Structure formats: structure tokens, C-alpha cells
């Protein structure tokens, strides 16, 4: 009668051989990874050539990937998030192999997985440097921005962002992007036309870094097509990804720092103003104005509005008046929030001094204890100090963001020199004179 074979007895398994096949401290097999890569190469060799026009006409969207091979490669894709696996892949020059596959394959799914593995590898500093030093790899990846497969573009934009956001590796990538005249147009087209929220988010992150990193790119993107693309993308992700919405607003804010960008924003005022108004309306529509987590987006909105109102004639539109009431509501919330942060800071300082004094007294009393007890006490003290440090760090971040937004708002009301707006502003200041003095005047915002 047929039956499943019995497992091999443990005493017959060579443990040294077994350990030699394991990647570092993981449970992943070296042999399996290498066989997976070999199967990938064999699969690509079986594909029709890209130059075969007849086959390409029959399959305009590319060919389907073998399901078994796809399953294997997806496992490898997941594994490539592990740094030890990345080191092993680099040892066997897997990046060069994956790039050669991308250049040959006519399967969008194969391309997506290969780029996804490379994107995971780019999460390590060592591999970002390796990728940056490879001229051919950089050129191919930037050229792929003109592709039309959303899943591949999601991974590609993630990979490019990792390399360009790193100050030690960004320069060659920026140079190549500027040399490739169509790369920025491709990114603009994605924002303008894509309905894939993950893709729009990744491209927004990439553009945000590009605009902040290179003045020439900032000037190149200071055009009405880019502004329109950002506006359309913001409409697409408004209720899906708030973080992406923040990125898009920041892209417009960066444009406002460049003279050409200011001109374009003013020209596109009729498109830009509505999304800024709707964002403030959403925040201020409730009785309680929630600002926490929105400081960066609000800072961008205030900066852009200042540029629009100072450089264009928006007249006595009712929406503009309502807009200023929104901003005053936010100002009121900010001032109250700043006062709470100050009280929190004072309480934290007192708590920290009290705890430090208590720890010092406890340490003195326990000097006669055993070394084991002393070690435990030191660990507890270290843990307490780390806890206090984390709380102080979170406070510093929140306080910095809040003060930055508060400063932008006060500068905004001073800069926009129109009687009715100043009346609104100073009416509020008089009605909240105590908070206004302690938060704004005492902090030197008008100095």
C-alpha cells in the first residue's frame, strides 16, 4: 500500500550542512533563493523577444507571468525586506541580474516584482550607494518613469525616493533626472491622470524631495501644467490619504518660494484657491477646530494664501471674508494650544526634577545593597530617564510645529494689508488680549 515516506531520522541530518544553507540568523535558505533567481532567468529566456512586432501586437499589455514562478518571486520579494537577505542578494550580484531581467522582459508583473525587490534593497544605506554608483541602473530606472503600468510605477517611485532622499546619494540621481527632459513630464502626467492613490502618494513624496533638493528642478516645475496636476491629484486623494494631501500642498508651498513659481500660482489662482478654501472649511466646520497632525498642511496653506492675496486682486469676494474667519478660528485654537503646551512643559520640568531628586536619594540609600540589586535599580533609573526624554522630545516637536504655524499666521495678517482683515484680526486680539500678549508679543513675533 502506498504511503507518505517517513521523515529522515535526525541523527542522519548533517547539521553543519543545514546551518551552511541558512542566510545569517534567518531561517531562509540560500539554495532556495538562488534557485528562485535561476528560475526567473529561465522564465525570461522563454519569453518572445520584445522586438517581435507580431507578438507585441497580440499582447499590447504584455504577457502573463507563470503562476508558480510568480508565487516564488513574491516570497523572495517579502524576504528582501530583511537586511541579511539583502546582503546575500548583493553578494551574488542579484541587483544586476534583476536589472537585466527588467530590460528583457515583456511581462509587467515580472517588472513590478523585480523593481519591488530592488526598492526593498534600497532601504539599506549600503545598497543605495551601490545603486547610485551604477550609471546603467540609474538610467534604466529613470527611463521607466515613462511606463504606464501603475503597480510598477508604485515600486519605482518608492525606489527613487529612497535614493534621492538620502543626501549622500542624491546628486547623481538629480543630475540624471535633469538630463532626461521627459522624466519630470512623466511625473506630472501621473499626478494629472492617475486614480491609484498609492501611486499618487509615492509620486507626491518623490516630487516633494525633488523640489526641495534642486533649484533647477524647482524652476522647471514652475509651470501651469504642474500646478494643474497637483490640483487634480489633491482632488483625487482628498478623502483617501490625508498625508498625501499634505505632500501636495507642500509642493505648491515650495513653488511659492521661487519667483517663477509665484507668477504661476497667481496665474492659476482660480484653480488653487478653491482647494485651499475647502481644506480650511473642512477643518473649521466643527465646533472644535482640530489642528494636531495638520500643522504642516496648514503652514503650506497659509504660505500659499499669503502669496495669492498679496500678488493678486481677489476683490471683496464673500469666500475670502469667510476664509479669514477660518484663519482667525485657527489662530484662536493655536493660542490656546500654545498655552496648554507651556503648562505641560512646566509640569514636565517639575516632574523631572522631582523624579531625579528621588532617584538620587534612592541610589544613596541603596549603596549598601548587593551588586545585583544595584544593577536592577540602575536599569530602572535609565528606563525612567528614557521615558522622560521621549516625552520631552515629543513636546519639542509639537511645540516647534505649533510655533511655526503661529508665526506664519501672524506674519500673514500683517502682510495682507487690507483694512477689513486687519479689523478682524485686531478685534480678536483685543477680545483675547491676555493670551495674545503672552503668546505672540512676549515671544517676540513682532520684533
Amino acid at each position: 500500500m502506498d504511503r507518505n515516506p517517513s521523515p529522515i531520522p535526525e541523527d542522519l541530518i548533517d547539521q553543519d550542512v543545514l546551518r551552511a544553507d541558512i542566510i545569517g540568523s534567518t531561517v531562509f535558505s540560500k539554495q532556495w533563493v538562488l534557485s528562485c533567481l535561476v528560475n526567473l532567468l529561465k522564465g525570461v529566456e522563454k519569453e518572445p523577444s520584445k522586438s517581435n512586432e507580431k507578438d507585441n501586437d497580440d499582447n499590447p499589455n504584455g504577457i502573463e507571468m507563470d503562476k508558480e514562478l510568480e508565487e516564488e518571486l513574491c516570497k523572495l520579494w517579502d524576504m528582501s525586506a530583511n537586511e541579511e537577505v539583502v546582503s546575500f542578494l548583493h553578494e551574488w550580484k542579484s541587483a544586476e541580474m534583476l536589472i537585466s531581467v527588467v530590460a528583457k522582459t515583456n511581462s509587467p508583473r515580472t517588472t513590478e516584482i523585480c523593481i519591488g525587490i530592488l526598492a526593498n534593497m534600497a532601504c539599506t544605506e549600503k545598497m543605495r550607494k551601490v545603486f547610485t554608483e551604477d550609471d546603467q541602473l540609474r538610467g534604466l530606472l529613470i527611463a521607466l518613469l515613462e511606463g504606464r503600468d501603475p503597480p510598477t510605477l508604485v515600486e519605482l517611485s518608492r525606489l527613487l525616493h529612497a535614493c534621492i532622499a538620502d543626501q549622500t546619494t542624491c546628486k547623481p540621481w538629480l543630475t540624471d533626472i535633469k538630463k532626461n527632459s521627459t522624466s519630470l513630464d512623466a511625473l506630472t502626467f501621473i499626478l494629472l491622470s492617475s486614480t491609484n492613490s498609492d501611486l499618487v502618494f509615492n509620486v507626491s513624496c518623490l516630487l516633494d524631495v525633488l523640489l526641495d533638493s534642486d533649484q533647477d528642478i524647482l524652476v522647471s516645475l514652475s509651470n501651469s501644467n504642474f500646478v494643474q496636476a497637483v490640483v487634480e491629484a489633491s482632488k483625487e486623494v482628498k478623502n483617501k490619504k490625508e498625508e498625501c494631501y499634505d505632500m501636495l500642498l507642500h509642493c505648491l508651498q515650495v513653488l511659492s518660494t521661487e519667483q517663477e513659481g509665484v507668477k504661476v500660482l497667481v496665474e492659476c489662482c482660480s484653480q488653487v484657491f478653491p482647494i485651499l478654501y475647502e481644506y480650511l472649511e473642512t477643518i473649521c466646520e466643527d465646533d472644535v477646530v482640530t489642528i494636531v497632525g495638520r500643522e504642516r498642511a496648514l503652514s503650506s496653506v497659509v504660505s500659499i494664501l499669503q502669496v495669492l492675496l498679496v500678488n493678486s486682486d481677489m476683490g471683496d469676494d464673500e469666500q475670502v471674508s469667510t476664509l479669514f474667519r477660518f484663519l482667525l478660528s485657527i489662530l484662536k485654537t493655536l493660542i490656546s494650544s500654545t498655552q496648554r503646551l507651556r503648562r505641560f512643559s512646566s509640569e514636565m520640568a517639575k516632574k523631572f526634577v522631582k523624579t531625579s531628586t528621588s532617584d538620587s536619594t534612592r541610589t544613596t540609600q541603596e549603596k549598601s545593597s548587593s551588586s545585583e540589586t544595584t544593577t536592577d535599580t540602575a536599569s530602572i533609573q535609565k528606563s525612567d530617564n528614557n521615558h522622560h526624554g521621549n516625552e520631552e522630545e515629543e513636546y519639542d516637536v509639537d511645540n516647534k510645529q505649533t510655533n511655526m504655524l503661529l508665526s506664519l499666521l501672524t506674519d500673514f495678517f500683517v502682510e495682507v494689508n487690507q483694512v477689513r482683515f486687519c479689523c478682524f484680526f485686531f478685534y480678536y486680539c483685543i477680545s483675547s488680549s491676555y493670551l495674545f500678549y503672552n503668546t505672540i508679543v512676549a515671544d517676540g513675533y513682532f520684533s
Side-chain angles (χ1 to χ4, degrees):
M1 183 175 68
D2 294 335
R3 66 182 182 85
N4 292 327
S6 301
I8 301 174
E10 289 187 9
D11 58 344
L12 295 181
I13 299 176
D14 190 331
Q15 295 297 324
D16 291 335
V17 173
L18 187 62
R19 280 193 293 271
D21 185 50
I22 298 300
I23 300 175
S25 60
T26 71
V27 295
F28 303 129
S29 165
K30 296 177 181 178
Q31 184 178 353
W32 185 89
V33 171
L34 294 175
S35 67
C36 183
L37 293 172
V38 170
N39 290 338
L40 171 61
L41 291 175
K42 290 180 179 178
V44 173
E45 290 297 329
K46 294 178 182 178
E47 291 182 13
S49 172
K50 280 187 175 182
S51 60
N52 191 326
E53 295 183 5
K54 183 178 183 302
D55 290 332
N56 290 335
D57 291 340
D58 293 339
N59 301 283
N61 296 320
I63 64 173
E64 291 291 330
M65 188 180 188
D66 178 77
K67 294 300 180 183
E68 186 176 345
L69 177 59
E70 180 181 1
E71 186 176 342
E72 282 188 356
L73 287 174
C74 284
K75 291 177 183 177
L76 180 58
W77 188 358
D78 292 337
M79 290 165 56
S80 64
N82 182 286
E83 287 192 25
E84 290 180 298
V85 173
V86 170
S87 296
F88 177 74
L89 289 171
H90 176 53
E91 180 184 343
W92 286 88
K93 301 186 183 299
S94 301
E96 297 176 11
M97 186 186 306
L98 293 170
I99 283 296
S100 69
V101 168
V102 169
K104 293 178 181 178
T105 186
N106 195 35
S107 167
R109 180 61 170 160
T110 301
T111 302
E112 176 200 354
I113 295 174
C114 290
I115 297 295
I117 294 172
L118 290 171
N120 280 355
M121 295 175 72
C123 291
T124 64
E125 183 179 357
K126 179 180 179 180
M127 292 311 302
R128 287 196 294 272
K129 291 181 179 178
V130 171
F131 292 168
T132 301
E133 292 168 0
D134 190 333
D135 296 343
Q136 183 180 359
L137 180 144
R138 293 200 318 271
L140 177 60
L141 292 178
I142 292 174
L144 286 175
L145 284 172
E146 298 178 46
R148 291 293 180 265
D149 181 53
T152 298
L153 291 170
V154 167
E155 299 305 320
L156 176 61
S157 52
R158 184 167 70 92
L159 195 167
L160 293 174
H161 178 268
C163 295
I164 296 173
D166 186 339
Q167 293 297 314
T168 64
T169 60
C170 64
K171 287 186 178 179
W173 295 93
L174 293 172
T175 300
D176 287 352
I177 286 174
K178 287 186 288 186
K179 285 181 180 178
N180 187 329
S181 59
T182 59
S183 57
L184 294 177
D185 292 337
L187 291 172
T188 301
F189 178 77
I190 291 171
L191 287 187
L192 184 64
S193 60
S194 179
T195 57
N196 184 316
S197 57
D198 291 330
L199 176 56
V200 173
F201 174 69
N202 283 4
V203 169
S204 300
C205 292
L206 176 56
L207 284 166
D208 188 41
V209 171
L210 289 172
L211 289 166
D212 270 335
S213 301
D214 192 277
Q215 183 68 20
D216 292 334
I217 291 178
L218 173 55
V219 172
S220 296
L221 289 175
S222 296
N223 59 70
S224 57
N225 288 339
F226 180 68
V227 172
Q228 182 184 355
V230 173
V231 170
E232 290 302 318
S234 66
K235 293 177 183 178
E236 179 64 33
V237 301
K238 181 181 178 182
N239 298 318
K240 298 178 182 178
K241 280 184 177 285
E242 187 167 358
E243 187 179 358
C244 180
Y245 199 76
D246 293 355
M247 287 287 182
L248 292 166
L249 288 173
H250 188 253
C251 287
L252 292 179
Q253 188 271 323
V254 177
L255 285 186
S256 71
T257 64
E258 163 64 32
Q259 186 175 0
E260 288 301 317
V262 171
K263 292 180 181 178
V264 172
L265 287 172
V266 172
E267 289 174 6
C268 301
C269 182
S270 61
Q271 294 175 287
V272 175
F273 182 80
I275 65 171
L276 305 179
Y277 180 89
E278 288 172 13
Y279 184 73
L280 293 176
E281 185 179 37
T282 300
I283 293 176
C284 299
E285 64 183 356
D286 298 327
D287 293 334
V288 178
V289 178
T290 304
I291 294 176
V292 178
R294 293 168 168 165
E295 293 89 352
R296 173 175 166 167
L298 283 170
S299 296
S300 298
V301 168
V302 172
S303 296
I304 301 165
L305 282 172
Q306 182 170 331
V307 167
L308 295 180
L309 290 167
V310 169
N311 294 280
S312 62
D313 182 15
M314 300 186 68
D316 296 328
D317 190 277
E318 183 179 347
Q319 275 195 327
V320 178
S321 300
T322 305
L323 175 77
F324 274 80
R325 285 194 284 272
F326 291 157
L327 292 176
L328 287 172
S329 297
I330 292 170
L331 179 62
K332 179 180 179 180
T333 303
L334 273 173
I335 292 176
S336 301
S337 175
T338 303
Q339 293 298 313
R340 288 195 298 272
L341 284 170
R342 285 183 169 179
R343 287 195 295 270
F344 173 76
S345 178
S346 177
E347 291 170 2
M348 282 297 301
K350 292 177 182 178
K351 181 180 178 182
F352 183 74
V353 171
K354 182 178 179 181
T355 304
S356 298
T357 304
S358 176
D359 288 346
S360 177
T361 303
R362 187 173 61 202
T363 302
T364 303
Q365 292 173 347
E366 293 178 355
K367 278 186 177 180
S368 59
S369 301
S370 64
S371 59
E372 182 178 351
T373 304
T374 302
T375 302
D376 291 343
T377 303
S379 299
I380 293 171
Q381 292 172 2
K382 184 177 180 180
S383 176
D384 288 345
N385 289 338
N386 287 339
H387 177 66
H388 296 319
N390 291 337
E391 288 182 336
E392 288 185 333
E393 184 177 349
E394 289 175 3
Y395 164 74
D396 288 340
V397 172
D398 291 341
N399 191 40
K400 183 178 179 181
Q401 291 177 337
T402 302
N403 283 338
M404 182 183 298
L405 178 55
L406 187 57
S407 177
L408 284 170
L409 269 172
T410 53
D411 288 344
F412 170 85
F413 280 106
V414 171
E415 183 72 20
V416 181
N417 187 22
Q418 296 189 39
V419 175
R420 60 191 176 119
F421 301 149
C422 290
C423 287
F424 286 154
F425 179 56
F426 286 109
Y427 171 79
Y428 171 74
C429 293
I430 292 169
S431 64
S432 305
S433 57
Y434 176 77
L435 288 175
F436 175 73
Y437 176 80
N438 283 277
T439 305
I440 299 179
V441 179
D443 279 351
Y445 284 116
F446 288 115
S447 61

